[in-house]
Amino acid sequence: MSQAQVLYDLQQIDSEIRAKKQRLGEVLRLQKEPPALVAAREASQAAEAELHHWRARHNDLTLEIAGVADKAKRSEERLYSGVVKNPKELNDLQHEVEALGRRRAGLEDESLKMMMAVDERQTTAQTAMAEVERLAGEFNAAVATLKVEQQSLGVHLSKLIEKRGRQAALAQPAALKSYDQLIQEKRGLAVAGLRGSKCQACQMTLSNATIRAADEGKLVRCDSCGRILCPL
């Protein structure tokens, strides 16, 4: 086997290794939570925080109503107990009971509105959580598939790297050095196929001398692009 063929086969392995590594990188990136799921989680957390805030306000209002009701009860008991004899004090107690009644009615109206607000925000929070669960379910299913592919890629890459080592061992040191330099210079394509009289990398027609040297198994380069030529 000519050195050109050795390097050509090495390039096929290297190309496959690069492709597998690129796909592995994509597979790993795809296992990160997508923006849609992250946004849904944030929306759900915001909805839960809003719900908690309104529930807390409603609880405070409920306690305030209970306090007003208790105070009104005590005032009524004192008003009708017969203990208070002073007309002015009785009149003041009557006004206080009426004021507390109005206050309680106002608070109860506010409480009803707040309960409706809590219910609305609870619905919003539940909807947001359902969206998180839906997106998370889709994501987890996708990740399970990606994990299988990741493992397969890892195994395949390991075998390719071993194969590359065996193939590189067939190359002469000088030829391998030239190949490595060209890989860097030519964006991963160091060896070009020679079909007929044309370089398959740049599609230029080569000189008869270059074609003959390549056919003889010599390590020659394309007259135009400078890549190593391998007859196909």
Side-chain angles (χ1 to χ4, degrees), residues 153-172:
L153 285 167
V155 171
H156 200 167
L157 271 170
S158 179
K159 291 179 179 179
L160 282 171
I161 291 170
E162 290 179 3
K163 184 179 179 181
R164 187 195 190 280
R166 294 192 297 270
Q167 185 66 24
L170 300 176
Q172 296 172 358

Side-chain angles (χ1 to χ4, degrees), residues 37-81:
L37 178 53
V38 173
R41 287 192 192 282
E42 291 175 351
S44 178
Q45 290 168 358
E48 283 292 336
E50 183 76 0
L51 175 60
H52 178 76
H53 170 73
W54 281 87
R55 277 178 172 166
R57 287 187 61 187
H58 182 258
N59 289 338
D60 290 343
L61 191 57
T62 299
L63 291 174
E64 186 177 356
I65 291 171
V68 169
D70 182 64
K71 186 175 181 180
K73 181 181 178 182
R74 284 186 278 107
S75 295
E76 284 183 341
E77 288 175 350
R78 190 159 183 265
L79 176 64
Y80 300 119
S81 66

Side-chain angles (χ1 to χ4, degrees), residues 11-212:
Q11 181 172 264
Q12 305 310 302
I13 297 170
D14 282 344
S15 295
E16 190 173 359
I17 288 174
R18 281 195 299 274
K20 297 298 182 187
K21 283 184 176 180
Q22 182 179 359
R23 177 55 188 169
L24 181 58
E26 292 173 358
V27 165
L28 292 173
R29 284 193 295 274
L30 288 170
Q31 291 180 49
K32 295 180 180 179
E33 285 196 346
L37 178 53
V38 173
R41 287 192 192 282
E42 291 175 351
S44 178
Q45 290 168 358
E48 283 292 336
E50 183 76 0
L51 175 60
H52 178 76
H53 170 73
W54 281 87
R55 277 178 172 166
R57 287 187 61 187
H58 182 258
N59 289 338
D60 290 343
L61 191 57
T62 299
L63 291 174
E64 186 177 356
I65 291 171
V68 169
D70 182 64
K71 186 175 181 180
K73 181 181 178 182
R74 284 186 278 107
S75 295
E76 284 183 341
E77 288 175 350
R78 190 159 183 265
L79 176 64
Y80 300 119
S81 66
V83 175
V84 179
K85 304 295 184 182
N86 186 291
K88 183 179 183 305
E89 189 176 351
L90 287 170
N91 188 55
D92 290 343
L93 277 172
Q94 182 65 42
H95 287 161
E96 182 180 359
V97 168
E98 292 172 356
L100 288 169
R102 290 191 298 271
R103 175 60 177 161
R104 179 177 179 180
L107 289 173
E108 287 175 343
D109 287 344
E110 188 178 348
S111 176
L112 181 60
K113 293 176 182 178
M114 200 166 291
M115 282 182 65
M116 293 173 64
V118 168
D119 288 343
E120 289 175 2
R121 282 157 179 80
Q122 184 168 347
T123 299
T124 299
Q126 289 172 344
T127 300
M129 178 55 70
E131 179 65 3
V132 170
E133 291 174 352
R134 183 185 70 81
L135 291 173
E138 292 176 356
F139 173 65
N140 291 335
V143 166
T145 300
L146 289 167
K147 288 287 187 185
V148 174
E149 184 178 0
Q150 178 184 339
Q151 184 176 8
S152 176
L153 285 167
V155 171
H156 200 167
L157 271 170
S158 179
K159 291 179 179 179
L160 282 171
I161 291 170
E162 290 179 3
K163 184 179 179 181
R164 187 195 190 280
R166 294 192 297 270
Q167 185 66 24
L170 300 176
Q172 296 172 358
L176 190 58
K177 183 178 180 181
S178 296
Y179 170 83
D180 290 337
Q181 289 174 343
L182 285 170
I183 282 289
Q184 298 298 320
E185 296 172 7
K186 304 297 182 180
R187 297 182 180 180
L189 188 63
V191 186
L194 173 60
R195 196 182 303 277
S197 62
K198 284 188 175 182
C199 168
Q200 297 301 295
C202 65
Q203 297 301 312
M204 293 297 293
T205 300
L206 304 174
S207 67
N208 290 332
T210 299
I211 295 170
R212 186 166 51 254

